[in-house]
Amino acid sequence: MTAELVTLAPPATLPDAVARWNSGAMALVPLAGATEPLVMARDTRETLAEYAQPNGVSGRDLIDAVEAAELRGRGGAGFPTGVKMRAVADREGPRTIVANGDEGEPLAVKDRYLMRIRPHLVLDGLLRVADAVAADRAVVYLSDTMSADSVRKALDELGGTPVPIDVMQVPRTYVGGEESSVVRAIDGGPPLPTDKPPRPFESGVGGGPTLVLNVETLARIPGLAAGVKTDSVLLTLTGSVTRPGLYEVPLGRPLRELVEPVGAPVGFLMGGYFAGLLGPRALDIPLGFTELRAEGSGLGCGAVAVLGPGDCPVAAAADVIAYYDRENARQCGPCIRGTAAMAGALRELADGTASDARLEKLQSWSASLRGRGACATLDGACNVAATLLREFPELVAEHRAAPCSRCAALGPTERTAPHIDPESEET
Ligand code: SF4
C-alpha cells in the first residue's frame, strides 16, 4: 500500500466553483424566498465588534437543543449532530473538538465563505459546542490560506478563549477533510483516511474521543442555541445557470423555485461530485436530506451543478470518475482499481466504443464496490456510475453505438484509465 497526497485538478469540462468564487465571478446571495439569513448575513468580513453574540442555552442543555432541532451535519454525510455531540460528551476524556473547514469538494465554496467572512460566528459555535461536550482542546482544521488568515485574526481579536484553539492548515486534497484524515493529520500523520472502526468519537486525536463538525454545522449553533430554526442550507450553485453563486436557501423547497437555468437542463450533479447525477426530474424534488436520499441522490455538502443543453451527462460522469481515479488517496486496492476501471468504461461509453459486456461490468461494479474503501470516495464513484445508468438509459443506449452530437463535436477523448477488472485482483 502506498499513501501519497494528490492535489486537486477539477476536470476542465466541469465548473470549478472555488476558482470562480476566488475570481469574484460568483454571486453571494443570502436571502432566497421566505427564509431569513441565518449564517450568510454579510458579504464583507466581520470583526469582533460587529459580531452580535446571541444568548441561549448552554452546557449539556445545548446537546438537548441540538437533538430537538434535528440538526444534521453539513459536511456531506448529513449525520445527526446531537448524536455525535452526546457520543463524545459521554466518553472519558481528554476530548477534542475539531471545526472542519477543509473543503476538498471542487464544486463547493460555503466553508470558505464562512471562515473568510463569518469567522466569529464559526468560533462562537465552536466554543459553545466545546463547552457542551467539555472539550479540553479545539482545532480549526482547514486548507484555504485566506480562511486561515481570517480565523487567526479572529482569534487575535478574541484575545483568549476558555478552551485553547489551534489552527491547522493542510494541503487541499479531496480526502483531507474526511474525519479520519483529520484525526490522523492532527496526530502528526498525513491527512489520509484510516480504516473504521474506530470512529473518531470512539478513538480520535491522541486516542481520546473527538468530535469533528463541519464549519457550517458549527455556524448554525449560536442561532440554534438562541431558539432560531436551522432549516436553511448553504447551496453552491454552478453550471448552466444565470447566476452561479453561493445561496442560503430554505430546506424543503424544490430546485425549480431556486434555480434559473440557462436553457432546459439535461441533468444535475448533486452533492458536489459525491451524490451522482439526476435527470431533469430533480427540479421538482424538495431540497432536503431525506427527500433527496429517497430519490437515490443526496444533498451532500450542498453543491449542485446544472448540466445545460450543451452538456452531456455521459461526458460529465466520465470526467467525474476520471477525477476520482486521479485524486483518490491510493491506499485501498478496490478504490485504486475500481475508479480506474469505471473511468475506463465511461470513457469508452463517451466515445461510443463500449461493449455490452463492458457496460454490464460497469453496472456490476457500481454496486459491488460500494463500501469497500477506507473512505467514501469509492462510494462517490459508484454513485456517479449507478445514477448515470439509472437516470439516463436512453442517452446511454445512444452512446453505445456512437457519441451523442454534443460529444461528437468534442472529438474522441483520451482513455486515461487502464482496462482492468477490480474484482479479478486480490484486494
Ligand atoms: S477509498 Fe480511495 S480515496 Fe479513500 S482511502 Fe481508500 S484509496 Fe484513498
Side-chain angles (χ1 to χ4, degrees), residues 140-157:
V140 181
Y141 177 92
L142 41 69
S143 54
D144 176 51
T145 297
M146 285 177 67
S147 298
D149 292 345
S150 174
V151 171
R152 288 194 176 105
K153 188 174 175 187
L155 287 170
D156 286 345
E157 289 169 345

Side-chain angles (χ1 to χ4, degrees), residues 9-14 269 273 276-277 307 311-327 338-352 354 359 362 380-381 383-389 392 395-396 399 407 410-417:
T13 53
L14 292 170
L269 260 176
Y273 288 175
L277 289 150
L307 303 181
D311 299 317
C312 173
V314 171
D319 282 342
V320 171
I321 298 191
Y323 169 89
Y324 279 133
D325 179 31
R326 286 197 310 276
E327 303 291 341
T339 54
M342 288 192 282
L346 278 164
R347 191 55 63 195
E348 289 177 4
L349 183 63
D351 287 346
L359 286 181
L362 181 64
N383 289 341
V384 173
T387 54
L388 174 74
L389 299 173
F392 301 94
L395 181 66
V396 169
H399 259 273
C407 291
L410 295 174
T413 52
E414 281 188 25
R415 292 184 192 136
T416 54

Side-chain angles (χ1 to χ4, degrees), residues 2 174-175 178 181 184 192-196 324 327-336 339 372-379:
T2 59
Y174 190 76
V175 297
E178 196 268 348
S181 300
R184 193 173 178 186
L192 295 170
T194 56
D195 287 332
K196 293 105 188 153
Y324 279 133
E327 303 291 341
N328 76 73
R330 313 232 173 275
Q331 294 192 117
C332 318
C335 182
I336 297 168
T339 54
R372 292 180 58 189
C375 76
T377 295
L378 181 55
D379 294 352

